[in-house]
Amino acid sequence: MSSLQFDNISVDEISPGFCREKDIAVSVLRLDKIHPVISGNKWFKLKYYIADALALGKKTIATFGGAWSNHIVATAAACNENNIGSIGIIRGEEAASLSPTLLTAQSLGMKLYFTSRSDYQKKNIPDALSDSAKNIYFINEGGYGIKGAEGAATIAGLFSAKQYTHICCAVGTGTMMAGLIKSSTLSQEVIGISVLKNNHEQQAETINLLTNDEKLKKFFINHEYHFGGYAKYTQDLIDFMNDFYKTTVIPSDFVYTGKLFYAVNDLIRTNFFPSGSRILMIHSGGLQGNQSLKPGMLIF
Ligand SMILES: *Cc1c(COP(=O)(O)O)cnc(C)c1O
């Protein structure tokens, strides 16, 4: 998709006053600026899957996601750009009207198949696809897998690693975090903020994507900032996102990056980070998901 704006990516230093007092600097890698709909980290996670599908001569890529999935719409866009067909296997029965996310995916040429929650959980292929399944390249939900992590590792090419002691990101499947661990230096720590409640497999799933050497690097997942679970939120989170926008002019999404920014802010306040820390937060996009909120809740 020629409308992707990689040149727009910037690293914005935002360090609020209370950080400077502690000699802590905070910057944001703005992957959200690539495109309003196709969020940054998804693009990176997809690129080696797409290359693999093309190398194998597959004509169609299929993947899984919910009605507001950033991964679904990014897959539709990436396939559209590479002239490869796309199929979205969507969790739950078809609603009377499609979400803006699914409408966008459809407009990018994606064919949608709706499956019951139980079929979805088992990752069953819809009957309508079973005959052609061998010609389809399947990508896991959320782009989880080694190729996804290797793609995410290339995010590190967008910032000067030496400048940061800590790299912080939101964690869903852990694929992006695994990529950031792969590309981290030995003196850095990668901190993931889980957006899921009590997902204790997340750590193992992230580690599964690492080589033995990479497993020795410094990283951990914090589970304290899920705000009730995946795609759940509180007024406190929404208020924080609005305040964060007022002071930094950086929009965030309530599923991932809002929780990340809240968490890092809170961890700085509570002196988790030592003086001298230089923190990079990854703005992994996802802003399109805010359309599922009531209008007016967010000021941006
Ligand atoms: C998918 C997504 C994540 C999580 O990425 P994982 O690799 O699944 O952990 C983070 N932020 C945004 C905006 C996303 O869309």
Side-chain angles (χ1 to χ4, degrees), residues 39 41-42 45 70 142 170-177 253 256-257 284-286:
S39 51
N41 90 336
K42 295 299 183 290
K45 289 201 290 181
N70 296 325
V171 183
T173 65
T175 309
M176 168 172 59
M177 181 172 180
D253 78 295
Y256 295 101
T257 55
S284 39

Side-chain angles (χ1 to χ4, degrees), residues 18-75:
F18 77 94
C19 289
R20 270 177 257 133
E21 282 158 30
K22 297 175 194 272
D23 186 25
I24 290 177
V26 187
S27 300
V28 182
L29 178 68
R30 300 290 305 277
L31 300 183
D32 60 307
K33 295 202 303 194
I34 298 173
H35 191 275
V37 173
I38 301 138
S39 51
N41 90 336
K42 295 299 183 290
W43 186 264
F44 289 93
K45 289 201 290 181
L46 283 167
K47 65 183 197 180
Y48 292 139
Y49 290 118
I50 305 271
D52 194 34
L54 291 171
L56 293 169
K58 302 278 184 180
K59 301 276 185 288
T60 307
I61 287 178
T63 195
F64 302 84
W68 296 96
S69 165
N70 296 325
H71 169 68
I72 284 288
V73 72
T75 303

Side-chain angles (χ1 to χ4, degrees), residues 43 50 60-61 74-87 108:
W43 186 264
I50 305 271
T60 307
I61 287 178
T75 303
C79 289
N80 183 275
E81 189 196 0
N82 288 284
N83 293 317
I84 190 162
S86 64
I87 290 174
L108 291 162

Side-chain angles (χ1 to χ4, degrees), residues 107-266:
S107 74
L108 291 162
M110 182 175 261
K111 284 199 193 122
L112 304 176
Y113 291 85
F114 293 84
T115 60
S116 70
R117 278 167 197 269
S118 70
D119 277 343
Y120 185 88
Q121 211 148 37
K122 293 184 213 129
K123 297 289 172 278
N124 286 341
I125 309 297
D127 289 344
L129 293 178
S130 52
D131 287 346
S132 49
K134 63 176 187 311
N135 298 319
I136 299 174
Y137 187 91
F138 284 90
I139 299 178
N140 289 333
E141 181 178 37
Y144 177 79
I146 303 266
K147 284 197 162 50
E150 286 172 349
T154 66
I155 291 173
L158 300 167
F159 59 86
S160 161
K162 293 192 300 293
Q163 291 186 19
Y164 304 103
T165 55
H166 299 80
I167 312 284
C168 301
C169 69
V171 183
T173 65
T175 309
M176 168 172 59
M177 181 172 180
L180 293 168
I181 295 168
K182 285 179 186 296
S183 56
S184 67
T185 67
L186 289 173
S187 58
Q188 274 168 347
E189 181 161 20
V190 180
I191 299 176
I193 304 299
S194 176
V195 302
L196 302 158
K197 188 177 176 179
N198 298 333
N199 184 347
H200 297 298
E201 289 108 69
Q202 213 171 23
Q203 178 93 9
E205 281 162 5
T206 305
I207 291 173
N208 264 337
L209 303 177
L210 302 175
T211 64
N212 286 338
D213 281 351
E214 289 160 357
K215 287 176 193 164
L216 301 174
K217 293 187 174 190
K218 279 193 285 183
F219 60 89
F220 83 97
I221 300 179
N222 175 306
H223 294 274
E224 307 299 314
Y225 296 96
H226 56 72
F227 291 87
Y230 184 71
K232 300 274 195 306
Y233 59 89
T234 63
Q235 191 57 42
D236 190 28
L237 176 66
I238 301 294
D239 291 346
F240 172 84
M241 289 165 61
N242 282 330
D243 286 345
F244 188 80
Y245 182 77
K246 276 188 213 149
T247 52
T248 64
V249 204
I250 299 178
S252 52
D253 78 295
F254 75 99
V255 182
Y256 295 101
T257 55
K259 294 179 183 179
L260 167 69
F261 299 157
Y262 186 109
V264 172
N265 191 69
D266 202 46

